[in-house]
């Protein structure tokens, strides 16, 4: 069907917006990556990443982000399932409770975790009553906790959305055909909620791997993640847009690759459906 | 016939939110039986089926299966499978895997056996070659067949079918009725069938259970139900009927519309008020002066096989089905044979049904449509 003029005109603001805020920055990133301070072409910035400890920083970041993502999944999946089987009124309340932290700035959430995890923080005050203490702040563990609590809603919401769309009668049908409670979960709920899990993983993994404030506040600069490193080249003491851009570009490519891998399953499934139709 | 009882419902009562949906239902279901729960939408058919399947527990009363009480047995432990009202096929599996589902859950590992049994089922429901198709790409009738194959592959003792043909068009529905009936005969599995379509119930079943408002009105063979309805409600629900106020003068003699008829019923006592049922096809049109009753034709509708004629006899509108044309506004006489007259005791349904004075085809068609749209 031909689109009317109005319809086409309505798309222009979006195109302008995309060019201004997505395409142009991308071009800048690529430009800075492959130029030096004088604006001459160079691959030095990219090479530098493979010659020093930046590989290690990348590996660290991927590991922490993966751990946080897995923990989020383990917490979110059962929660989402329970929510999706509640009475509708309770579902709405629970989802509201999950969303409320999202209305708060992540920085505030992170600061509150600082006060909880500090050596003189809430947990340690309680532990000290029993003569115990635990050093938690400025450890990778604290960073993971921060990531989990900031990004958990992004795991719960997509999984819940998919699960609440699973027709109750499909669960009854599977029980009818001999599925116990556990089998109902593995044979129907899990395969049917896969797409929600994949968007959840994407939505947690991506901000986790690129975060810098969580690792700065809860990691205390004792170790560096890729997000901190990039930030330090743009606003830190050793400003170097060119190398920072190179790091960003590699991070972006890394994220795109992992998203492509994760989407592989759902994509091939959907493609098959389309093919049959 | 030596029939073995398979399922007994004993005094089942069930309420939802304080509203009684099933009121003291008792029913015996036998092995190798095709039994149909028939009643209007909302009368509790699905709820009865769900109690048998294990998806609802009765508030009081017992469900007995093969001699054992199974009130608290979960669905997956019952030898009962269901064809759900809107199929409920698994959208993440193809046709083959939907049908194989029950076998996989039963931990059958032998792929050759699975494949053989799935193919057997596909053949039975005429879906050969559909193995790899995705269920969302199938038509309603095809989905229906997959649902039946999926439910039968585990060789259940009982198959529950909840209005399985409701979403199909007329032609397909007739074909599927025959197929289901022959499937039941071949497999020897007890079919418990739910429908609000009386024609479907009469043509398929060994036993029909007429329900209304959470109670059972009558249980019997299709012929019994049709020829000897217990009350005006059943008479009206099972096909068209004229239900006339009458008085049983004596055994084999009933008076209605001012004429005393010979009939074949007895045992009602003398001068007892009764409801008299006469099926429209059992009324013979004769010349005005020679008829037992006499009336004026108010409307004539051509129905293909016969004409449907509404006749005003002493203020009561009768429906008559006849193959001979009569003219509107004509005076006609009618005769009724003794064995066409069925006598029923007065009941709470007396006077509510069986008069065609407000009858209109459009109204009927409308109400039928709305009924079909419901689940
Ligand atoms: N889960 C439920 N909660 C509340 N009311 C219900 C529920 N299931 C059925 N009902 C009510 O019970 C009555 C009978 O329903 P149902 O057994 O589905 O009738 P039928 O299948 O004969 O149309 C209806 O009034 C329906 O609204
Ligand atoms: Mg129903």
């Amino acid at each position: 069907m031909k689109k009317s003029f109005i319809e086409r005109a309505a798309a222009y603001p979006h195109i302008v917006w995309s060019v201004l805020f997505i395409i142009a920055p991308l071009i800048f990133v690529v430009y800075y990556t492959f130029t030096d301070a004088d604006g001459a072409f160079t691959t030095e910035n990219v090479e530098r990443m493979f010659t020093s400890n930046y590989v290690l920083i990348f590996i660290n970041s991927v590991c922490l982000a993966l751990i946080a993502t897995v923990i989020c999944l383990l917490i979110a999946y059962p929660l989402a399932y329970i929510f999706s089987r509640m009475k509708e009124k309770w579902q709405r309340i629970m989802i509201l409770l999950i969303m409320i932290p999202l209305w708060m700035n992540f920085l505030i959430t992170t600061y509150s975790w600082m006060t909880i995890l500090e050596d003189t923080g809430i947990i340690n005050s309680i532990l000290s009553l029993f003569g115990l203490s635990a050093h938690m702040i400025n450890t990778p563990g604290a960073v993971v906790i921060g990531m989990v609590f900031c990004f958990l809603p992004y795991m719960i919401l997509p999984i819940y959305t998919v699960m609440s769309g699973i027709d109750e009668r499909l669960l009854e049908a599977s029980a009818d055909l001999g599925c116990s409670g556990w089998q109902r979960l593995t044979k129907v709920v899990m395969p049917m909620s896969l797409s929600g899990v994949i968007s959840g993983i994407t939505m947690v993994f991506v901000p986790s791997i690129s975060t810098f404030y969580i690792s700065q506040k809860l990691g205390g600069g004792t170790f560096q993640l890729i997000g901190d490193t990039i930030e330090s080249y743009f606003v830190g003491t050793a400003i170097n847009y060119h190398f920072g851009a190179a790091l960003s570009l590699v991070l972006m490519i890394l994220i795109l690759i992992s998203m492509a891998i994760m989407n592989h399953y759902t994509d091939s499934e959907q493609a098959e459906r389309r093919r049959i139709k | 016939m030596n029939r073995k009882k398979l399922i007994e419902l004993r005094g089942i009562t069930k309420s939802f939110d304080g509203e009684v949906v099933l009121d003291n239902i008792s029913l015996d279901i036998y092995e190798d039986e095709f039994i149909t729960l028939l009643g209007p939408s909302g009368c509790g058919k699905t709820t009865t089926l769900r109690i048998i399947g294990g998806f609802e527990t009765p508030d009081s009363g017992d469900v007995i299966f093969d001699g054992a009480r199974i009130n608290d047995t979960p669905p997956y432990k019952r030898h009962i499978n269901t064809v759900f009202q809107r199929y409920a096929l698994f959208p993440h599996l193809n046709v083959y895997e939907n049908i194989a589902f029950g076998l996989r859950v039963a931990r059958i590992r032998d792929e050759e056996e699975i494949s053989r049994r799935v193919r057997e089922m596909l053949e039975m429901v005429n879906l050969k070659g559909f193995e790899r198709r995705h269920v969302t790409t199938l038509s309603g009738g095809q989905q229906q067949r997959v649902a039946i194959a999926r439910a039968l592959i585990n060789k259940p003792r009982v198959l529950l079918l909840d209005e399985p043909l409701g979403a199909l068009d007329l032609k397909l529905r007739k074909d599927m009725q025959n197929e289901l009936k022959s499937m039941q005969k071949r497999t020897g599995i007890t079919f418990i069938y739910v429908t609000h379509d009386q024609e479907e119930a009469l043509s398929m079943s060994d036993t029909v259970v007429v329900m209304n408002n959470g109670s059972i009105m009558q249980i019997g063979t299709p012929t019994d139900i049709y020829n000897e309805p217990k009350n005006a409600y059943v008479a009206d629900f099972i096909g068209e009927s004229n239900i006339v106020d009458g008085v049983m003068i004596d055994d084999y003699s009933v008076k209605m519309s001012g004429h005393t008829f010979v009939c074949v019923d007895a045992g009602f006592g003398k001068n007892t008020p009764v409801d008299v049922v006469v099926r429209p096809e059992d009324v013979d049109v004769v010349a005005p002066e020679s008829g037992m009753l006499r009336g004026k034709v108010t409307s004539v509708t051509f129905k293909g096989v016969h004409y449907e004629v509404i006749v005003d006899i002493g203020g009561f509108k009768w429906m008559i089905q006849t193959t001979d044309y009569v003219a509107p506004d004509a005076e006609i006489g009618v005769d009724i044979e003794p064995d066409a007259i069925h006598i029923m005791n007065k009941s709470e349904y007396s006077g509510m049904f069986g008069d065609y004075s407000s009858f209109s085809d459009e109204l009927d068609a409308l109400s039928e449509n709305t009924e079909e749209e419901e689940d």
Side-chain angles (χ1 to χ4, degrees), chain B residues 12-289:
Chain B
I12 302 283
T13 297
K14 176 82 187 170
S15 308
F16 288 115
D17 316 316
E19 193 192 328
V20 178
V21 169
L22 292 180
D23 187 8
N24 197 17
I25 295 262
S26 292
L27 178 62
D28 292 345
I29 297 164
Y30 294 86
E31 271 187 343
D32 196 10
E33 182 177 35
F34 196 123
I35 187 169
T36 299
L37 306 182
L38 172 67
S41 197
C43 73
K45 306 180 297 289
T46 297
T47 308
T48 310
L49 216 58
R50 287 173 62 81
I51 286 175
I52 296 172
F55 301 107
E56 304 280 359
T57 40
D59 298 340
S60 66
D62 289 327
V63 184
I64 314 286
F65 185 87
D66 216 4
R69 183 174 177 277
I70 57 161
N71 282 34
D72 306 312
T73 309
Y76 68 92
K77 288 188 179 158
R78 300 188 183 197
H79 296 286
I80 298 174
N81 283 132
T82 308
V83 176
F84 287 86
Q85 211 161 5
R86 266 190 271 264
Y87 321 137
L89 298 178
F90 300 119
H92 62 295
L93 301 176
N94 63 20
V95 169
Y96 183 94
E97 287 302 326
N98 261 281
I99 298 175
F101 192 88
L103 298 178
R104 298 208 187 280
V105 171
R107 300 227 158 73
I108 289 174
R109 298 262 183 264
D110 181 1
E111 283 298 326
E112 256 169 47
E113 185 190 346
I114 292 178
S115 160
R116 182 178 54 74
R117 285 173 67 177
V118 170
R119 266 161 238 289
E120 220 174 83
M121 284 296 138
L122 281 168
E123 204 158 315
M124 186 174 77
V125 298
N126 284 327
L127 275 184
K128 265 204 292 193
F130 280 73
E131 288 87 341
R132 301 287 150 223
R133 285 280 290 272
H134 205 275
V135 291
T136 50
T137 67
L138 301 181
S139 71
Q142 291 164 341
Q143 292 188 26
Q144 179 62 67
R145 288 155 191 272
V146 176
I148 292 168
R150 184 181 71 172
L152 281 177
I153 199 161
N154 276 4
K155 304 192 169 118
R157 306 274 304 273
V158 179
L159 185 69
L160 309 179
L161 303 106
D162 194 350
E163 312 223 9
L165 310 183
L168 307 184
D169 57 56
L170 190 67
K171 173 83 179 62
L172 200 53
R173 202 150 69 197
K174 296 275 181 231
D175 293 346
M176 279 305 285
Q177 284 175 10
N178 293 331
E179 277 185 49
L180 279 173
K181 181 69 200 168
S182 73
M183 240 181 256
Q184 192 272 326
K185 283 230 175 75
R186 235 177 317 145
T187 56
I189 294 170
T190 298
F191 276 33
I192 308 180
Y193 193 93
V194 159
T195 182
H196 64 256
D197 180 340
Q198 40 90 14
E199 215 178 296
E200 193 168 289
L202 294 181
S203 64
M204 298 172 83
S205 325
D206 299 320
T207 307
V208 177
V209 180
V210 184
M211 293 179 67
N212 180 35
N213 224 341
S215 303
I216 293 179
M217 297 278 106
Q218 188 170 359
I219 303 173
T221 65
T223 0
D224 282 350
I225 300 262
Y226 190 82
N227 291 335
E228 282 155 42
K230 264 196 186 142
N231 58 37
Y233 178 84
V234 177
D236 181 73
F237 197 76
I238 306 291
E240 306 290 355
S241 16
N242 301 292
I243 305 172
V244 190
D245 256 345
V247 175
M248 202 69 185
I249 306 289
D250 201 346
D251 285 356
Y252 312 115
S253 174
V254 64
K255 186 172 178 177
M256 60 172 162
S257 303
H259 182 90
T260 305
F261 290 83
V262 180
C263 66
V264 294
D265 298 76
F268 287 86
K270 285 180 200 235
N271 295 317
T272 319
V274 291
D275 285 334
V276 184
V277 182
V278 181
R279 297 288 179 188
E281 69 272 20
D282 291 338
V283 183
D284 301 322
V285 177
V286 294
E289 52 283 353

Side-chain angles (χ1 to χ4, degrees), chain A residues 90-106:
Chain A
W90 285 106
Q91 288 191 24
R92 273 198 297 273
I93 294 174
M94 296 318 288
I95 291 312
L96 193 69
L97 289 179
I98 296 297
M99 304 247 286
I100 284 174
L102 294 182
W103 302 342
M104 238 174 347
N105 195 305
F106 288 131

Side-chain angles (χ1 to χ4, degrees), chain A residues 170-227:
Chain A
L170 293 178
L171 300 183
E172 288 188 350
S174 65
D176 188 75
L177 293 164
C179 284
S180 62
W182 176 250
Q183 284 174 314
R184 240 168 289 166
L185 203 63
T186 57
K187 296 239 176 229
V188 181
V189 178
M190 283 186 182
M192 287 191 69
S193 57
L194 198 64
S195 64
V197 169
I198 283 168
S199 23
I201 288 176
T202 314
M203 287 172 75
V204 171
F205 182 75
V206 172
S208 295
I209 200 172
S210 50
T211 181
F212 54 89
Y213 50 85
I214 294 177
S215 46
Q216 274 170 13
K217 301 301 168 208
L218 298 174
T222 49
F223 58 94
Q224 270 201 317
L225 294 187
I226 189 67

